[in-house]
Amino acid sequence: AQSVTQLDSQVPVFEEAPVELRCNYSSSVSVYLFWYVQYPNQGLQLLLKYLSGSTLVKGINGFEAEFNKSQTSFHLRKPSVHISDTAEYFCAVTVGYNFNKFYFGSGTKLNVKP
Amino acid sequence: DGGITQSPKYLFRKEGQNVTLSCEQNLNHDAMYWYRQDPGQGLRLIYYSQIVNDFQKGDIAEGYSVSREKKESFPLTVTSAQKNPTAFYLCASREITGRSNTGELFFGEGSRLTVL
């Protein structure tokens, strides 16, 4: 079975600083990768996704992620964070065209301080 | 606006009672999912359905039941057999056919169940 590891459960960062949230998945062919954001007591909202093509993916709110097949990673980055980016971020992986089963990481709480 | 509506947002129940969480979508998606979220554990799949009148167990189906009588509706019942039902429950959907299949899940706002 596929597994997804988010190495940091919490990431504190000051406003306007860069941030990287790490995500690694277990090796497999034909993986499709997603990053979601969750604000308190709300559902998950898609930030970005990698299905194919360019390994550098740009998403909403200035976030981007890079798919690295050799390192089985899909780290999320933002060059300058805002207070409003404080939320929990989830990496997700699905395998195969049918996308039947999504595997989620345990989440990373990003805390942006003024 | 198209989306997924979950109700109620907050629910309190006594131990031993069955509760049903509602999930309705107007996105015309074929597939619907129920996830359970606990702090520090990410999302775990309870049940999913790809077509009306058919559904499959996920990783933690014990103590839960679902039905899919209509394409837009996928209610989840938390039964008294679920040993630790207090959690945040998320309903999701996605399109699975042809060009409309963009891959991602679309989520509702969630329902927080507290068993007293």
Side-chain angles (χ1 to χ4, degrees), chain A residues 38 41 49 98 100-101, chain B residues 37 50 59 94 102 104:
Chain A
Q38 184 181 35
N41 291 312
K49 62 185 177 184
N98 286 331
N100 277 344
K101 195 163 185 180
Chain B
Q37 186 177 19
Q50 292 184 274
D59 301 315
R94 70 173 184 88
T102 57
E104 71 263 32

Side-chain angles (χ1 to χ4, degrees), chain A:
Chain A
Q2 186 69 235
S3 66
V4 181
T5 302
Q6 291 185 243
L7 296 167
D8 305 300
S9 60
Q10 297 194 41
V11 173
V13 63
F14 286 105
E15 194 173 18
E16 298 183 6
V19 71
E20 178 179 82
L21 306 183
R22 296 179 291 172
C23 173
N24 287 87
Y25 59 94
S26 54
S27 179
S28 177
V29 297
S30 301
V31 293
Y32 304 95
L33 299 144
F34 306 80
W35 274 101
Y36 284 87
V37 60
Q38 184 181 35
Y39 300 99
N41 291 312
Q42 293 187 23
L44 277 66
Q45 177 184 354
L46 182 70
L47 273 179
L48 49 79
K49 62 185 177 184
Y50 172 78
L51 301 182
S52 64
S54 172
T55 56
L56 183 62
V57 180
K58 294 188 183 298
I60 63 171
N61 301 340
F63 284 93
E64 63 180 32
E66 187 159 16
F67 170 55
N68 189 320
K69 189 174 182 178
S70 63
Q71 297 187 4
T72 61
S73 68
F74 191 56
H75 301 332
L76 182 70
R77 301 184 183 100
K78 186 169 183 178
S80 175
V81 295
H82 303 288
I83 295 288
S84 59
D85 292 323
T86 295
E88 190 160 19
Y89 293 79
F90 291 92
C91 180
V93 174
T94 187
V95 179
Y97 178 76
N98 286 331
F99 304 97
N100 277 344
K101 195 163 185 180
F102 285 73
Y103 301 85
F104 285 85
S106 55
T108 298
K109 289 185 178 178
L110 177 64
N111 183 16
V112 181
K113 303 176 181 180

Side-chain angles (χ1 to χ4, degrees), chain B residues 29-69:
Chain B
H29 286 169
D30 292 307
M32 297 186 73
Y33 304 76
W34 275 104
Y35 287 91
R36 171 178 171 142
Q37 186 177 19
D38 296 282
Q41 294 194 42
L43 277 69
R44 293 182 290 169
L45 182 64
I46 304 173
Y47 269 97
Y48 69 100
S49 167
Q50 292 184 274
I51 194 170
V52 173
N53 292 324
D54 188 42
F55 46 83
Q56 285 77 42
K57 293 182 179 180
D59 301 315
I60 56 165
E62 185 176 351
Y64 299 98
S65 66
V66 293
S67 63
R68 187 88 186 273
E69 296 177 1

Side-chain angles (χ1 to χ4, degrees), chain B residues 80-95:
Chain B
S80 57
Q82 169 49 234
K83 295 180 180 178
N84 185 19
T86 294
F88 191 54
Y89 291 88
L90 286 160
C91 180
S93 72
R94 70 173 184 88
E95 182 53 60

Side-chain angles (χ1 to χ4, degrees), chain B residues 93-107:
Chain B
S93 72
R94 70 173 184 88
E95 182 53 60
I96 59 174
T97 57
R99 292 186 177 182
S100 299
N101 182 359
T102 57
E104 71 263 32
L105 293 169
F106 293 79
F107 285 87

